[in-house]
Amino acid sequence: MNLLIRSAKIIYPNSPYHNQVSDILIEDGIITSIEKDISADYESFDAAGSMLMPGFFDLNCNIGELGNETKEDLQTGTSAAAAGGFTGLALMPNTQSPVHSKAEVEYLVNKSKGNLVDVLPLGTISNKREGKDMAELYDMYRSGAIAFTDGNRPVQDAGLMERAMLYTKGFNALIFSYPEDTAIAGKAQVNEGEVSTQLGMKGIPALAEELMVARDLYLAEYTNSPVHFSTISTKRSVQLIREAKKNGIKVTCDVAAHHLVVTDNELNSFDSLYKVKPPLRTRQDVDALIDGLNDGTIDAIVSQHTPHEVEYKDVEFEIASFGIIGLQTAFSLALKAGLTPELIAEKLSVNPRKILGLGPVKLEVGAKANFVLVDPNISWDYAKTTNFSKSENSPYIGQTLNGKVLLTINNNQQFKNTSK
């Protein structure tokens, strides 16, 4: 792939080119020149008014393969990722069967080779995600799993979580915690509060999340091991993690993009497309999440891409499945939340790779081209025709969103967004 990008504003935190407007020449997928004005007899892309950032990396992506390919397969999932500006995905192990041994890890690693999007499987903490016995963590690590989580099933057994933290510490792997105390959350569907009372529905208290955050912070401190919290959603969770960081506990966390812009007030219409877990919270929680991003308490933004067939969502709210697709909307929602381009680059590109211990994406001569070109001032129509996912369970399909991904480049391949 040979390409000349003209007049792009570079948004690369910690790069000497940060905030500069430059031309970038790519030859065979490698950056060969970064100058104010480059002449080359190659295809060119006019990037005037656009911003060039490191390719986004998603720490929380669900793809049905293995076993649930009717929801999403690797081809459609990575296509949606590229359309959303993602050049890397950490795949949750919520598949059938779960990614709980080296066989599943090796299948996903081999199946995704040669893709524009780098795919990194996450292995389960427990065998079959049952929360009882520890899975084959080291075997999975050697096969390519660099972190471990039971996905959307919290590890209720504190002893199991402690052993997993201690064990993975020996080979520098990372444990992801999905913080929910199921004994407190029960089978409720929405956030506990005024809206749940008005709707006449049993709510999930913020306490269900916060108890598990507190527990796993204690375990991380006791074992002197790192822990990463997936999709925190409450004000108190932000406060707990902020204090833990001040006290030197090795903790990182992320937030789903939709939790930054939508509150539980959207549920008054009983629209099952807004049924997610953790549930949509209050405006006070949303404001605390945004504050946490701005002050560094929250390290990353994730899509929490969770595809479903129509029969799992186009049903009564109480029996609908949790989750929405989010790979193509994460950047637009981050903009809608009022985040600056610099902060978006940090939370969607730089920090996710840092959390996983991956090397940074470099913008320099001789480096592999791995970046996304976005225009925060261009609107685009998210429609069924512009949706690259196999599933359509997004409340944003049919809406016009601000902030368009124009070009995604990685692994000597490019995705050019020609939709309007």
Side-chain angles (χ1 to χ4, degrees):
M1 181 198 70
N2 300 317
L3 183 67
L4 174 59
I5 296 176
R6 296 191 178 279
S7 303
K9 183 175 182 181
I10 296 171
I11 306 295
Y12 256 69
N14 303 318
S15 165
Y17 298 102
H18 181 56
N19 275 329
Q20 293 185 18
V21 176
S22 296
D23 292 356
I24 300 170
L25 181 61
I26 303 165
E27 296 179 288
D28 295 326
I30 303 297
I31 300 170
T32 57
S33 183
I34 306 172
E35 303 289 345
K36 288 294 183 183
D37 189 14
I38 300 174
S39 296
D41 190 20
Y42 289 135
E43 174 191 0
S44 65
F45 190 100
D46 184 4
S50 304
M51 298 179 178
L52 187 136
M53 300 178 178
F56 301 152
F57 193 103
D58 192 13
L59 289 172
N60 191 319
C61 180
N62 295 277
I63 289 181
E65 197 165 353
L66 306 152
N68 290 324
E69 288 86 353
T70 54
K71 297 179 183 292
E72 192 87 278
D73 56 41
L74 281 169
Q75 180 179 352
T76 59
T78 53
S79 294
F86 289 92
T87 60
L89 299 175
L91 296 187
M92 286 286 161
N94 311 342
T95 52
Q96 187 60 41
S97 63
V99 183
H100 64 159
S101 74
K102 66 179 183 179
E104 293 87 14
V105 173
E106 289 172 356
Y107 171 86
L108 292 170
V109 168
N110 291 327
K111 183 72 180 290
S112 60
K113 283 181 178 177
N115 203 295
L116 183 154
V117 180
D118 300 318
V119 173
L120 299 176
L122 302 177
T124 63
I125 293 173
S126 67
N127 187 46
K128 298 180 181 179
R129 293 203 303 147
E130 292 177 347
K132 298 177 181 178
D133 301 313
M134 197 159 60
E136 301 168 359
L137 304 188
Y138 187 61
D139 281 352
M140 287 190 284
Y141 173 77
R142 292 186 65 185
S143 296
I146 55 177
F148 301 95
T149 172
D150 274 357
N152 58 1
R153 291 185 185 175
V155 177
Q156 295 298 307
D157 187 328
L160 174 61
M161 181 62 92
E162 179 201 14
R163 291 191 296 275
M165 286 183 179
L166 285 170
Y167 185 61
T168 53
K169 181 181 176 182
F171 49 93
N172 294 320
L174 181 63
I175 292 294
F176 281 28
S177 169
Y178 172 61
E180 181 188 77
D181 187 314
T182 56
I184 300 293
K187 296 182 180 180
Q189 311 281 313
V190 299
N191 177 58
E192 182 182 82
E194 292 181 9
V195 172
S196 65
T197 302
Q198 293 167 1
L199 298 178
M201 298 180 70
K202 183 174 175 57
I204 301 174
L207 179 67
E209 175 176 308
E210 294 153 7
L211 278 176
M212 197 63 85
V213 169
R215 186 202 76 175
D216 287 348
L217 286 173
Y218 277 121
L219 288 176
E221 182 179 34
Y222 177 74
T223 61
N224 192 29
S225 301
V227 65
H228 177 81
F229 289 102
S230 295
T231 60
I232 66 168
S233 65
T234 76
K235 179 180 179 179
R236 181 61 177 154
S237 291
V238 177
Q239 293 171 340
L240 287 168
I241 293 170
R242 182 180 289 121
E243 288 302 313
K245 286 190 171 188
K246 289 179 180 177
N247 293 331
I249 296 174
K250 301 172 184 176
V251 56
T252 54
C253 64
D254 63 54
V255 60
H258 49 266
H259 278 118
L260 302 175
V261 295
V262 189
T263 70
D264 56 359
N265 285 322
E266 293 291 342
L267 302 178
N268 286 313
S269 62
F270 289 97
D271 186 347
S272 63
L273 290 175
Y274 286 104
K275 184 178 179 181
V276 294
K277 206 170 190 185
L280 299 178
R281 303 290 188 180
T282 67
R283 170 50 56 184
Q284 190 177 33
D285 292 310
V286 170
D287 291 344
L289 293 170
I290 294 173
D291 287 344
L293 285 166
N294 281 304
D295 69 15
T297 300
I298 300 177
D299 302 273
I301 298 170
V302 299
S303 75
Q304 204 185 18
H305 182 81
T306 308
H308 288 299
E309 303 92 334
V310 63
E311 59 266 26
Y312 286 84
K313 293 296 280 189
D314 191 16
V315 291
E316 292 87 351
F317 190 94
E318 291 198 2
I319 62 173
S321 296
F322 292 98
I324 64 175
I325 55 174
L327 285 168
Q328 289 183 242
T329 56
F331 173 68
S332 293
L333 297 186
L335 281 176
K336 187 175 182 180
L339 306 183
T340 64
E342 289 80 5
L343 194 63
I344 291 173
E346 178 186 335
K347 306 299 183 179
L348 276 177
S349 302
V350 178
N351 285 356
R353 290 181 171 88
K354 188 182 297 184
I355 288 167
L356 290 177
L358 304 175
V361 173
K362 296 181 179 180
L363 185 70
E364 60 186 28
V365 173
K368 183 180 79 171
N370 180 347
F371 51 71
V372 57
L373 194 68
V374 299
D375 194 324
N377 299 311
I378 293 181
S379 297
W380 61 288
D381 295 327
Y382 189 30
K384 292 182 178 181
T385 55
T386 57
N387 173 41
F388 285 84
S389 173
K390 187 178 286 190
S391 296
E392 298 176 351
N393 55 305
S394 170
Y396 300 104
I397 291 180
Q399 294 188 25
T400 298
L401 301 175
N402 194 49
K404 185 176 181 179
V405 174
L406 304 175
L407 185 68
T408 308
I409 292 178
N410 187 36
N411 293 333
N412 201 19
Q413 300 173 59
Q414 64 173 311
F415 173 89
K416 189 180 296 183
N417 195 341
T418 58
S419 62
K420 296 182 179 180

